Amino acid sequence: MAFELPTLPYAKDALAPTISAETLEFHYGKHHKAYVDKTNGFVADKGLEGKSLVEVIRHAKETGDKGLFNNSAQIWNHSFYWFGLTPEPKEPTGKLAELIEAKFGSKEELVKQLIAESTAHFSNGWGWLVLDGDEIKVTSLHDADTPVVYDYKPLLTIDVWEHAYYIDYRNARPGYLEAITKIIDWDFVAANLDGEGVSRADQAG
Ligand code: FE
């Protein structure tokens, strides 16, 4: 089975004006799809059919196959990014709220640090919330790099490649970050404490 673009959990115009339907048409419909198509080409050429997306990403990392790693990791990162957004955001509750309170004092402070980290990230990459042991951390990774190949659990990601915001915000990454952090699906973040949302992205490819 070739990898496929995942179905979005909302309509193309549902995140507007934060993310316009036009951005989704390009970012999801062209950029994300191109990563899927290129990965399928590599997988067929290299005889890797039958491996899961995560297996392909780890294989590429272990063998130093940069083309395969970049394209397959970008499938996973983008699926995870889309799943972490919602047109109907709610506040964090339960265990997630407790973890946020313990580390950051408030959700607002966590968001502030995520925006600061993602704004300062030089050039292409991803802002991340991850669970390291039992501590929530804010970090960022370059280019296509992904928590799939590290020991911590991904909880949420924000795409800071220019293609994520150029149509709606031009070069204003901070404006994009201020807006997008208001449509985070905290239920998805909470589900990832137990690995649930992560497995959705694993299966997306
Ligand atoms: Fe992107």
Side-chain angles (χ1 to χ4, degrees):
M1 270 286 285
F3 298 127
E4 291 177 4
L5 262 187
T7 303
L8 292 176
Y10 34 74
K12 283 255 176 74
D13 59 357
L15 302 180
T18 306
I19 295 180
S20 65
E22 187 184 2
T23 286
L24 269 172
E25 268 158 33
F26 278 84
H27 194 184
Y28 166 78
K30 295 187 188 296
H31 290 281
H32 194 172
K33 182 171 187 305
Y35 296 127
V36 172
D37 292 345
K38 284 184 191 160
T39 298
N40 283 332
F42 283 131
V43 163
D45 289 348
K46 296 165 193 283
L48 298 172
E49 294 98 335
K51 284 189 186 291
S52 71
L53 181 59
V54 165
E55 286 169 345
V56 167
I57 295 167
R58 290 182 177 150
H59 169 83
K61 177 80 173 181
E62 281 160 17
T63 57
D65 188 333
K66 285 189 183 160
L68 180 61
F69 178 80
N70 287 338
N71 283 283
S72 57
Q74 284 292 76
I75 300 177
W76 197 96
N77 289 348
H78 280 90
S79 298
F80 199 69
Y81 169 63
W82 302 127
F83 295 157
L85 303 175
T86 177
E88 293 170 347
K90 297 178 221 135
E91 291 298 306
T93 57
K95 188 182 166 195
L96 175 63
E98 286 167 21
L99 287 168
I100 292 172
E101 171 79 22
K103 176 70 187 284
F104 299 95
S106 68
K107 184 202 81 176
E108 288 68 29
E109 180 59 27
L110 177 160
V111 167
K112 200 170 137 192
Q113 291 190 26
L114 181 61
I115 290 173
E117 173 81 20
S118 302
T119 300
H121 184 89
F122 184 73
S123 195
N124 292 332
W126 299 82
W128 291 95
L129 281 186
V130 299
L131 189 67
D132 190 359
D134 54 5
E135 193 183 353
I136 293 186
K137 288 184 178 169
V138 168
T139 189
S140 58
L141 294 171
H142 282 284
D143 300 323
D145 206 6
T146 179
V148 168
V149 294
Y150 300 115
D151 286 337
Y152 44 70
K153 257 188 209 173
L155 301 178
L156 177 82
T157 192
I158 305 288
D159 192 339
V160 296
W161 286 57
E162 272 191 355
H163 68 217
Y165 55 87
Y166 211 83
I167 291 171
D168 297 325
Y169 301 87
R170 296 301 176 195
N171 59 330
R173 189 190 288 183
Y176 156 72
L177 292 168
E178 287 288 344
I180 201 167
T181 49
K182 292 185 173 64
I183 58 164
I184 290 170
D185 186 347
W186 294 102
D187 287 346
F188 176 77
V189 177
N192 289 331
L193 295 172
D194 303 319
E196 257 181 57
V198 174
S199 80
R200 277 174 68 200
D202 289 349
Q203 286 158 16

